């Protein structure tokens, strides 16, 4: 999880007219791989937990138990990360013996080996960070050339008509890379308001800033005039007086190893391994080799290497957390000149605008950057040179990623995953294809589907089988995250095309230095969530994790298919902001994603049969907008695609903005784009016109066409050509939907129930005259369904004899009764007397009888339950009233707060969809007139239990109240609202 992002902060019966409990529609036990793989997905496609190990002093038996426990609730393994989270928020913390337990020591080797062996013993699959903390660096000798670089920037004012004599500014602070000067033609003073800091309570302040405009024609390089002792004698004639010149500035720029720490050091390090970990150069193969050399020398012993090859999944790096004034590497100037044809050094003053990465808190609560800002008198203020710098930086970053990918592939036979481009000034869409499995994070992407689509598009175009998500991080929500909230996060990512969840996170569950109950808590209590056996709901997790795993087994099969590609080029991607603001495409059912023109260079990206990348996403059309930024390559490709017959909707006119400073491109791009308008596949519309309507006018229909009245429905289409199956994940975001979806498929339709693992044939569908299939879909808000169309029947499932209308197949409710007279037993998970006993939870029982309907939160039942967390077991009885009933449903009409399990007559019901907990209970019932027992078990997050002791909680010595000083109101807990039993009669279909 990004510290820079931290403060920014299928019950398918409900979707089908047929109740899922009917035996004729249930998946029969058999060997059809579509059944077995879906019902019980292999470990590699199941979700994983990011497993936070505090350091190598942990108990290996407890570590093994944590991994096995994660497996027991449906995870496919863990993502092993030695977090070494000491001194968070700058608070000094006592640490164990660093000489013994640093990352890379024999003790850490034992942690790595035990984790791998546990995965092997339990048929699991393990991801692992390539370094401690965020994986961005390793222990390294201080003179290593592979360490991260930064610049130091100094300047001096020269009055026009005067010269400069003496030692230049900043001499001795690093390796000089340039001494330049420029005439200042404008000086503008202004104020910036720094907002109040909620973490420290610091009030808002007013900070003065200055903008200087430099004459581009006056930029001069004086490096050759410098003596060996840093003195320069620059004569007056170099700085003449002139109209409009207010002053001159002399700029001195140095590079140096920033020694940005990934982890802290021991108090008296005797060698570099005991000296913590430093970030490596992320813009050279040398930086990558610094990491891989450490692995080769200190971690990859024969048995460990063999285990990694056997059970390893992804070598992985988290978001880039390298504070820098300006990202740099020694090869950058020459690479820049090779690519752009001019010297970058004189433009460094301008590059400091929008490319620096400062301290996290400063990014949020103080104006970023120095008090002085330098711009050029060019028409774009010099942004074209910033574009060029970012382009070169991206190409150098690709070298770094490529080296790590090659090492992972060739040395270990594994894939490499990374949170590509995070916090870096570059076109992230261009870099996403550079790793095997690109990963995003829901926190930084703000859980917004349109944001996800910007990252997912290039990955799909590049044919990446896995697109990962670090999911479930919530600022300020530690021990409060509910399962419906986590699933909402996950379902939105699935809807956008993400298909692998790494849940944030699972902390080491054992006792640890100066750490209190309930467990070691990363980031000093600032972020959710701390999943694991200390949570009351842990025993219920398997239902949801199996749902995630089954969904992922579908979404990682075959290849994605999309309707529309949206052209998107930025020199610096802003992935936290939506780029398409109308809802017309979603309302019509179009599935779209974004592509950078850099992605057009990927192999097999061509147009055939009217679609772009026919063997991949097979986009039916492209959207180009008048405010897009163009490259010559991108413009040429658009013309090529249009000539080949790809429909291109041009909204708001032909773009005129050009990325970069290349004069030839600036003159050629308008000529190339000018030829677009004459092509028959180009369709121009105004800014106010609907893109969806324009697509329909040129007969580009969505693969999943929504019927009238359907809102906020998202589809993710996968085509598995080998199995001859189309899978469509359907998600109803936040609102209920009932209506018809017409799918571009004429295969045999099935429902794949990711909650139960059942596969059932669909009875209520109709064929359209053009070979499409219309299906009635009924979804609650935030509910999903998966529809599959197969070219060959799934063995073991009886097909309906005929299709019919949705209304005819609907069961008719004959009687509805509201259940009341509930008994409740709460098993409280209370803190131990000694809070340092992390595993000392005390369990207390509380009983309540004759609770009426509607049920209320525990605090409303008794004020003594306000600060109670745990498991509540509810029981009541009911009888069926109608002998003519075909069966009955149980319906939990109110939202489920966290998790739920239910049984009828002591027979467990199948997993309940938390978005709409409703199930057919026919086969569990006693005969009409006999009493039936309903038992419902719900669990809570742990937060209410922590509220009274919040200011006593600490992790590695840091108090919870230091990170989150405000205790929030108690959460509502328990089973709430009305529970109904609905008797029904089924009409023949």
């Amino acid at each position: 999880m990004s510290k820079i992002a931290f403060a920014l902060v299928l019950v398918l019966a409900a979707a089908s007219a047929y109740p899922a409990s009917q035996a004729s529609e249930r998946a029969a036990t058999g060997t059809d791989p579509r059944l077995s793989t879906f019902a019980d997905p292999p470990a590699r496609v199941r979700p994983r937990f990011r497993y936070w190990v505090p350091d190598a002093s942990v108990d290996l038996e407890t570590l093994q138990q944590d991994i096995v426990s994660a497996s027991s609730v449906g995870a496919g393994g863990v993502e092993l990360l030695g977090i070494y989270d000491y001194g968070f928020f700058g608070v000094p913390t006592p640490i164990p013996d660093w000489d013994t337990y640093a990352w890379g020591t024999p003790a850490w080797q034992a942690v790595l080996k035990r984790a791998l062996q546990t995965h092997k013993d339990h048929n699991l699959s393990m991801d692992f960070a390539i370094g401690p903390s965020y994986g961005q660096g390793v222990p390294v000798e201080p003179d290593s050339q592979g360490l991260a670089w930064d610049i130091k920037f100094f300047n001096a004012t020269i009055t026009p008509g005067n010269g400069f004599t003496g030692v230049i500014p900043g001499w001795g602070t690093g390796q000089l890379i340039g001494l330049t000067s420029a005439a200042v033609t404008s000086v503008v003073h202004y104020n910036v308001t720094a907002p109040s800091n909620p973490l420290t309570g610091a009030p808002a302040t007013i900070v003065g800033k200055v903008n200087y405009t430099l004459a581009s024609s006056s930029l001069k390089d004086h490096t050759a005039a410098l003596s060996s002792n840093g003195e320069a004698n620059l004569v007056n004639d170099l700085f003449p007086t002139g109209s409009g010149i207010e002053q001159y500035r002399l700029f001195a720029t140095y590079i140096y190893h920033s020694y940005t720490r990934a982890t802290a050091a021991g108090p008296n390090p005797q060698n570099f391994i005991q000296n913590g970990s430093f970030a490596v150069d992320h813009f050279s193969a040398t930086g990558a080799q610094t990491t891989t050399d450490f692995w080769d020398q200190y971690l990859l012993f024969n048995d460990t290497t063999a285990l990694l090859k056997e059970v390893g999944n992804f070598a992985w790096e988290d978001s880039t957390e390298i504070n820098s004034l300006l990202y740099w590497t020694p090869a950058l100037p020459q690479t820049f000149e090779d690519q752009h044809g001019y010297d970058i050094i004189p433009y460094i003053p301008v590059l400091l605008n929008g490319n620096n990465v400062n301290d996290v808190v400063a990014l949020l609560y103080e104006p970023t950057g120095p008090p002085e800002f330098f711009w050029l008198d060019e028409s774009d203020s010099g942004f074209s040179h910033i574009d060029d710098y970012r382009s070169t930086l991206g190409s150098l970053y690709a070298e770094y990623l490529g080296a790590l990918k090659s090492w992972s592939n060739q040395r270990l036979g594994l894939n490499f995953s990374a949170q590509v481009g995070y916090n870096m000034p570059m076109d992230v869409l261009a870099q996403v294809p550079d790793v095997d499995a690109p990963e995003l994070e829901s926190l930084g992407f703000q859980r917004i589907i349109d944001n996800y689509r910007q990252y997912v598009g290039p990955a799909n175009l590049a044919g990446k089988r896995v697109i990962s998500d670090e999911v479930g991080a919530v600022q300020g929500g530690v021990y409060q995250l509910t399962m419906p909230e986590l699933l909402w996060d996950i379902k939105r990512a699935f809807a956008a095309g993400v298909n692998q969840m790494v849940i944030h996170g699972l902390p080491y569950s054992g006792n640890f230095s100066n750490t209190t109950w309930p467990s070691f808590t990363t980031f000093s209590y600032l972020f959710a969530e701390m999943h694991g056996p200390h949570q009351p709901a842990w025993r219920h997790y398997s239902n949801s994790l199996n749902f995630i795993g089954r969904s992922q087994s579908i979404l990682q099969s075959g290849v994605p298919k999309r309707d529309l590609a949206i052209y998107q080029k930025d020199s610096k991607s802003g992935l936290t902001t939506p780029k398409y603001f109308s809802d017309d495409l979603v309302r019509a059912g179009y599935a779209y994603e974004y592509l950078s023109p850099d992605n057009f260079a990927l192999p097999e990206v061509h147009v055939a049969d009217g679609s772009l990348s026919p063997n991949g996403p097979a986009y039916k059309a492209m959207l180009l907008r008048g405010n897009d930024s163009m490259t010559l390559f991108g413009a040429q490709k658009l013309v090529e695609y249009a000539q080949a017959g790809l429909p291109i909707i041009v909204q708001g006119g032909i773009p005129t903005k050009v990325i970069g400073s290349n004069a030839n491109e600036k003159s050629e791009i308008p000529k190339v784009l000018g030829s677009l308008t004459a092509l028959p596949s180009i369709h121009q519309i105004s800014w106010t016109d609907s893109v969806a309507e324009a697509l329909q006018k040129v007969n580009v229909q969505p693969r999943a066409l929504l019927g009238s009245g359907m809102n906020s429905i998202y589809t993710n289409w996968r085509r598995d050509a080998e199995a001859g199956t189309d899978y469509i994940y359907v998600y109803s975001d936040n609102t209920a939907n009932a209506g018809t979806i017409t799918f571009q498929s004429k295969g045999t339709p099935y429902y794949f129930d990711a909650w139960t693992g059942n596969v059932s044939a669909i009875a209520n569908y109709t064929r359209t005259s053009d070979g499409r299939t219309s299906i009635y879909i009924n979804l609650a808000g935030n509910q999903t369904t998966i529809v599959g169309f197969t070219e060959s029947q799934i063995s073991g499932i009886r097909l309906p004899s005929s299709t019919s209308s949705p209304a005819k197949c609907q069961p008719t409710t004959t009687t509805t009764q509201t259940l009341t007279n509930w008994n409740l037993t709460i098993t409280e998970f209370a803190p131990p007397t000694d809070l340092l006993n992390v595993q000392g939870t005390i369990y207390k029982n509380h009983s309540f009888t004759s609770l009426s309907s509607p049920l209320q939160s525990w605090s409303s039942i008794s004020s003594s339950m306000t600060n109670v967390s745990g498991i509540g077991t509810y029981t009541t009885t009911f009888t069926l009233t109608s002998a003519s009933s075909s069966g009955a449903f149980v319906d939990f009409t109110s939202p489920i707060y966290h998790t739920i399990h239910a049984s009828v007559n002591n027979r467990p019901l199948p997993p309940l969809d938390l978005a709409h907990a409703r199930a057919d209970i026919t086969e569990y019932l006693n005969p009409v007139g006999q009493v039936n027992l309903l038992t419902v078990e719900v669990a809570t997050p742990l937060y209410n239990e922590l509220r009274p002791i919040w200011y006593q909680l600490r992790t590695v010595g840091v108090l919870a109240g230091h990170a989150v000083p405000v205790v929030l109101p108690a959460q509502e807990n328990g089973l709430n609202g009305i529970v109904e039993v609905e008797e029904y009669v089924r009409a023949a279909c």
Side-chain angles (χ1 to χ4, degrees):
M1 182 193 63
S2 165
K3 281 198 284 187
I4 287 182
F6 79 65
L8 297 179
V9 208
L10 276 192
V11 176
L12 296 180
S16 169
Y18 261 39
S21 67
Q22 297 303 298
S24 63
E25 295 182 88
R26 284 192 165 176
T29 302
T31 59
D32 194 313
R34 287 171 292 190
L35 295 180
S36 57
T37 303
F38 177 67
D40 187 15
R44 288 186 186 275
V45 301
R46 285 181 171 274
R48 282 185 258 297
F49 285 100
R50 177 165 299 177
Y51 182 40
W52 292 304
V53 177
D55 64 26
S57 69
V58 297
D59 176 67
L60 296 184
E61 295 301 318
T62 303
L63 176 139
Q64 177 174 314
Q65 292 168 11
D66 286 344
I67 296 170
V68 173
S69 183
S71 171
S72 73
V73 298
V78 303
E79 182 181 78
L80 181 68
L81 176 59
I83 190 68
Y84 287 78
D85 190 19
Y86 306 136
F88 197 67
F89 286 98
V91 177
T93 55
I95 61 174
D97 181 358
W98 192 263
D99 296 351
T100 303
Y101 299 118
W103 196 88
T105 59
W108 180 258
Q109 296 163 16
V111 167
L112 176 61
K113 184 176 179 180
R114 176 64 70 91
L116 287 166
Q117 186 64 53
T118 304
H119 280 76
K120 178 180 178 179
D121 293 344
H122 294 271
N123 298 314
L124 303 174
S125 177
M126 192 182 92
D127 298 345
F128 60 95
I130 59 174
S133 187
Y134 301 99
Q136 66 191 20
V138 293
V140 62
E141 295 283 5
D143 59 351
S144 169
Q145 291 302 296
L147 286 169
W149 296 85
D150 198 358
I151 72 164
K152 292 185 178 180
F153 178 76
F154 299 88
N155 70 90
T157 302
I158 300 175
T159 303
N162 293 317
F164 178 91
T165 301
V167 176
I168 65 172
W171 180 254
T173 62
Q175 175 188 339
L176 181 75
I177 60 171
L179 180 67
T180 61
S181 68
V184 177
T185 61
S186 173
V187 181
V188 177
H189 295 264
Y190 63 101
N191 292 325
V192 173
T193 301
S196 61
N197 186 335
L199 297 181
T200 65
T205 57
I206 303 297
V207 180
K209 299 285 186 178
V210 187
N211 276 344
Y212 296 89
T213 300
L214 310 178
S216 181
S217 60
S218 72
L219 296 176
K220 291 186 177 67
D221 185 352
H222 305 287
T223 309
L226 193 65
S227 69
S228 60
N229 61 359
E231 293 185 352
N233 183 17
L234 305 178
V235 298
N236 299 6
D237 291 349
L238 294 172
F239 310 102
T241 60
S243 175
I245 299 178
E246 298 198 12
Q247 60 181 245
Y248 287 89
R249 283 296 176 101
L250 183 67
F251 304 106
T253 305
Y254 307 83
I255 63 170
Y256 71 107
H257 284 308
S258 64
Y259 295 106
T260 299
R261 282 196 175 274
T263 60
N268 297 294
Q270 302 301 306
N271 55 55
F272 75 94
I273 292 181
Q274 298 169 6
N275 195 33
S277 176
F278 293 95
V280 301
D281 181 0
H282 276 51
F283 307 101
S284 72
T286 302
Q289 187 176 348
T290 302
T291 295
T292 59
D293 282 352
F294 186 90
W295 274 84
D296 289 339
Q297 184 172 356
Y298 294 98
L299 294 174
L300 293 183
F301 302 104
N302 289 339
D303 48 356
T304 301
T305 304
L307 283 168
L308 276 169
K309 290 182 177 181
E310 187 170 357
V311 302
N313 187 49
F314 294 135
W316 163 81
E317 181 179 333
D318 201 350
S319 52
T320 306
E321 308 289 342
I322 304 176
N323 294 335
S324 178
L325 181 62
L326 187 69
Y327 284 124
W328 204 264
T329 189
L332 192 147
Q334 186 60 56
T335 304
F336 183 95
E337 188 160 359
D338 293 344
Q339 292 178 349
H340 301 288
Y342 66 96
D343 183 6
I344 189 60
I345 300 300
Y347 296 91
I348 286 178
V350 179
L351 301 186
L352 294 175
N353 300 316
N355 295 315
N356 57 313
V357 179
N358 292 327
D359 178 76
V360 177
V361 176
L363 278 174
L364 278 173
Y365 305 115
E366 300 172 13
T368 62
E372 298 180 329
F373 295 87
F374 298 95
W375 304 95
L376 295 180
D377 60 357
E378 298 174 351
S379 59
D380 65 354
S381 301
F383 267 104
S384 61
H385 305 290
I386 294 174
D387 293 341
D388 290 345
Y389 162 78
R390 291 169 176 173
S391 173
T392 297
L393 195 71
S395 67
L396 293 169
Y397 179 54
E399 293 182 11
Y400 170 81
L401 294 177
L404 289 174
K405 180 176 179 292
S406 295
W407 175 80
S408 302
N409 296 169
Q410 298 168 16
R411 179 73 167 89
L412 298 174
L414 303 178
N415 287 326
F416 176 63
S417 177
Q419 293 188 357
V420 177
Y422 278 42
N423 310 321
M424 290 197 246
M426 61 183 63
D427 180 1
V428 174
L429 280 69
Q431 313 304 146
V432 163
D434 292 331
V435 300
D436 297 304
E439 181 174 88
L440 47 77
E441 66 171 20
S442 61
L443 177 68
F445 282 69
Q446 300 180 33
R447 310 177 185 182
I448 297 174
I449 294 175
D450 193 81
N451 294 349
Y452 292 142
R453 284 171 158 162
Q454 299 170 48
Y455 197 86
V456 166
N460 280 337
L461 191 66
K464 304 302 179 182
R465 185 185 68 84
V466 170
I467 306 170
S468 181
D469 184 7
E470 175 195 343
V471 68
V474 178
Q475 183 185 351
V478 71
Y479 296 106
Q480 301 168 60
L481 186 70
T482 66
M483 189 59 72
E485 183 179 3
L486 176 62
L487 291 177
W488 176 77
D489 197 341
I490 289 170
K491 291 169 184 178
R492 290 191 128 214
F494 282 161
V498 181
N499 59 12
Q500 176 70 56
M501 296 297 151
V502 180
I503 300 173
H504 179 285
L506 173 67
Y508 171 74
S509 69
N511 290 321
F512 194 70
S513 174
N514 210 1
T515 295
T516 61
W517 184 89
S519 78
F520 170 73
T521 301
T522 56
F523 308 110
S524 303
Y525 286 80
L526 184 57
F527 293 101
E529 183 53 87
M530 302 297 119
H531 304 280
H534 51 278
Q535 289 275 12
W538 186 246
R539 60 193 282 181
H540 291 173
Y541 271 48
S542 58
N543 286 353
S544 294
L545 265 64
N546 286 334
F547 163 80
I548 299 168
R550 293 183 186 116
S551 299
Q552 292 181 176
S553 73
I554 295 292
L555 296 176
Q556 291 183 28
S557 64
V559 297
K561 298 296 177 183
R562 300 290 184 265
D563 301 316
L564 178 69
I566 299 180
Y567 179 102
Q568 181 68 38
K569 177 62 182 178
D570 292 301
S571 66
K572 178 182 178 181
S573 299
L575 299 176
T576 61
T577 303
K579 298 299 190 293
Y580 188 80
F581 299 100
S582 173
D583 65 349
D584 66 322
L585 292 173
V586 172
R587 283 188 288 105
Y590 289 97
Y592 65 89
E593 54 198 22
Y594 297 84
L595 301 176
S596 166
D598 296 51
N599 304 139
F600 298 162
L602 290 167
E604 298 188 14
V605 179
H606 66 283
V607 173
D609 299 323
S611 68
L612 178 64
S613 188
N615 298 322
Y619 305 104
K620 296 181 177 184
M622 181 172 287
L623 173 63
L624 178 68
R625 295 165 292 182
N627 58 1
D628 282 324
S629 299
M630 303 305 300
T631 66
L632 180 58
F633 176 75
Q636 292 168 337
K637 282 295 182 180
L638 289 176
V639 172
E640 175 188 319
Y641 300 155
Q643 290 173 335
L646 179 71
I648 299 179
I649 306 298
V650 179
Q651 186 179 38
I654 298 294
T656 58
K657 183 179 178 181
V658 176
I659 286 281
S661 65
N662 187 287
N664 178 62
E665 290 206 2
K666 288 180 183 293
S667 64
E668 286 297 314
I669 287 174
K671 300 175 186 176
V672 173
L673 291 178
S675 66
L676 271 177
T677 57
L679 297 175
S681 57
I682 299 298
H683 310 279
Q684 296 198 60
I685 63 174
S686 72
W687 281 117
T688 57
D689 290 335
S690 165
V691 175
E693 290 179 3
L695 289 168
Q696 291 162 356
K697 287 178 182 178
V698 297
N699 200 31
V700 174
Q701 298 293 334
R703 288 179 169 84
L705 180 65
L706 301 185
S708 62
M710 302 285 272
N711 294 296
S712 299
I713 289 285
Y714 295 83
T715 59
N716 180 353
W717 193 297
R718 306 287 300 195
R719 170 65 181 170
D720 188 339
E722 184 177 350
T725 304
D726 290 318
Y727 299 105
I728 303 93
Y729 169 92
V730 183
Y731 169 59
S732 181
D733 188 37
N734 289 330
T735 185
N737 273 285
T740 298
I741 302 180
T742 301
F743 299 94
Q744 187 182 316
S745 184
K746 56 184 178 181
T748 302
Y750 296 85
Y751 281 122
F752 289 75
D753 185 341
W755 282 101
T756 65
N758 292 339
V759 179
S760 59
I762 297 176
N764 56 313
Y765 66 90
T766 58
R767 299 289 192 197
T768 64
S769 59
D770 60 354
R772 293 172 175 251
T773 304
S774 293
I775 299 175
Y776 180 78
I777 301 290
N778 186 356
L779 293 172
N782 301 324
Q783 193 173 26
T784 66
T785 187
I786 298 172
V787 178
F789 294 91
T790 69
E791 297 169 4
S792 60
Q793 181 180 345
I794 298 179
S795 60
I797 298 180
R798 182 185 67 81
L799 296 178
S801 57
S802 63
T803 62
S804 191
S805 68
K808 185 176 179 181
C809 293
Q810 289 280 16
T812 301
T813 300
T814 59
T815 305
T816 299
Q817 56 177 305
T818 298
L819 303 185
T820 188
N821 196 30
W822 293 88
N823 296 321
L824 167 63
T825 298
I826 297 173
T827 301
E828 179 184 1
F829 283 48
T833 303
D834 178 6
L835 286 179
L836 291 174
N837 182 7
V838 167
Q839 296 176 323
T841 303
I842 297 173
Y843 302 97
K844 303 176 182 178
N845 285 336
H846 311 272
S847 296
F848 303 90
T849 59
S850 302
L851 301 178
S852 60
S853 181
L855 293 166
Q856 296 179 304
S857 182
W858 294 351
S859 60
S860 297
I861 297 173
S862 170
S863 60
S864 65
M865 296 293 104
T866 299
N867 292 323
V868 167
S869 301
I871 297 173
T873 303
Y874 295 76
T875 60
T876 191
T877 58
F878 64 94
T879 59
L880 297 185
T881 61
S882 174
S884 62
S885 296
S886 303
F889 291 101
V890 63
D891 195 333
F892 299 86
T893 62
S894 297
I896 303 302
Y897 280 133
H898 195 24
T899 63
I900 183 171
H901 276 202
S903 66
V904 173
N905 296 322
N906 297 316
R907 296 175 59 194
L909 297 181
L912 296 169
D913 187 336
L914 298 184
H916 186 184
R918 173 183 171 88
D920 191 318
I921 58 174
T922 303
E923 67 180 65
Y924 304 86
L925 296 172
N926 292 325
V928 175
Q930 293 187 16
V931 173
N932 297 283
L933 172 67
L934 174 63
T935 304
V936 183
E937 185 176 281
V938 298
T940 78
L942 201 55
Y943 183 69
N944 287 358
E945 206 71 41
L946 304 181
R947 295 176 72 249
I949 58 172
W950 188 254
Y951 301 106
Q952 301 173 53
L953 301 176
R954 60 186 183 273
T955 190
V956 201
V958 179
L959 292 171
H962 185 85
V964 184
V966 178
V967 177
L968 298 176
Q971 289 181 291
E972 291 195 21
N973 282 334
L975 184 61
N976 284 254
I978 294 172
V979 182
E980 296 177 339
V981 170
E982 301 173 6
E983 299 177 47
Y984 66 81
V985 173
R986 187 191 316 284
C989 288

